[in-house]
Amino acid sequence: MSDLLDVTDPRREERLWRRPLDVGLRDGYLRRLGWTTPPEPTLDTLIALHQAQTALVPYEVVWIALGEERTVEPLDAVRYIVAGRGGYCYHLNGALACLLDWLGFDVHWRVGGVQGPQVDGPVGANANHLTIEVHGLPSEDSPSGTWLVDTGMGDALHAPLPLSEGDYSQAPMDFTLRPSDVVPGGWRFDHDKWARCPGMDFAPYEATVEDFTAKHHEQSTSPESGFVRVAALCRRDGDSATTLRGLRLVHHGVDSGFERDIASEAEYFATLADVFHLPLSDVDKSRKQALYSKVVADHEQFLKSQ
């Protein structure tokens, strides 16, 4: 278990990440997801919001390649999305948790740990990932009413999963949920064999902003961080997952797929806008040119390493 988790800390029984309702941010967020009025906090709404976010708000670390600094403050995360950007797990799940809470859902932050592609086994709840649970929505699939909600793994869930042990399919991928082998009382999400990252473990205790601050700084600034080395994006819809790592575009669909390299600056920014809904309309020409030069240099370094 992560040293960050002191399960005797009374904070673990409180949702200290919660923020007061900001109607303007709520409505701006909903507009980006396709709603004109706040929906009721039902299971159908939860599923629809999750699906809309994975399809319309990209998992992306282009902001790191642009030299921008970000926080893991939930309201900041909402602002990034309302402004037309995406983010990685702390931003996507942090913002979505905030929106769901404002809409009346029973939402809980959890400390997670994603097992990277170069790691032999689970890393435990080491805070390299924020995931969320939503409670109080019983259904035939989830008699307990508890759901794993995670838009922050990029190429994984398109919709929530019942927080119950079993095998699940969300085309074109298959997942497993089971008790964690390394986090007492926690859960393990096993990703599809197609994915780069094998899975994620998370703890069953309430998390706070402070749990993620140090790991966020490391992941967004360290030269050893994969998020710093490669400008990556992911988009997930109902029957496919699409990723862009550097200049390499990969599409994994139910009936087809492809892998190819982006060939020009114009194609790169068109792909960001058209495929990943990231037009970077707030970034000027000189910063875009610097971004593309960095992406090309990083990609050439990647090719040499292969």
Side-chain angles (χ1 to χ4, degrees), residues 107-131:
V107 191
H108 302 262
W109 275 22
R110 297 291 186 252
V111 174
V114 172
Q115 178 186 342
Q118 308 303 325
V119 180
D120 291 335
V123 297
N126 72 350
N128 75 7
H129 187 72
L130 162 65
T131 191

Side-chain angles (χ1 to χ4, degrees), residues 31-108:
R31 282 194 297 271
R32 182 155 187 205
L33 299 183
W35 275 260
T36 56
T37 58
E40 293 298 315
T42 66
L43 178 57
D44 286 344
T45 296
L46 177 67
I47 293 170
L49 288 169
H50 194 295
Q51 292 175 336
Q53 175 141 313
T54 60
L56 298 173
V57 181
Y59 176 101
E60 56 97 356
V61 292
V62 172
W63 57 274
I64 296 177
L66 283 165
E68 298 174 355
E69 296 182 359
R70 289 193 175 185
T71 76
V72 291
E73 158 60 41
L75 290 180
D76 286 343
V78 174
R79 292 184 186 103
Y80 303 142
I81 290 175
V82 172
R85 298 290 199 91
Y88 61 178
C89 66
Y90 307 126
H91 308 126
L92 298 177
N93 286 335
L96 183 59
C98 209
L99 175 64
L100 293 173
D101 183 61
W102 288 340
L103 292 174
F105 290 91
D106 183 6
V107 191
H108 302 262

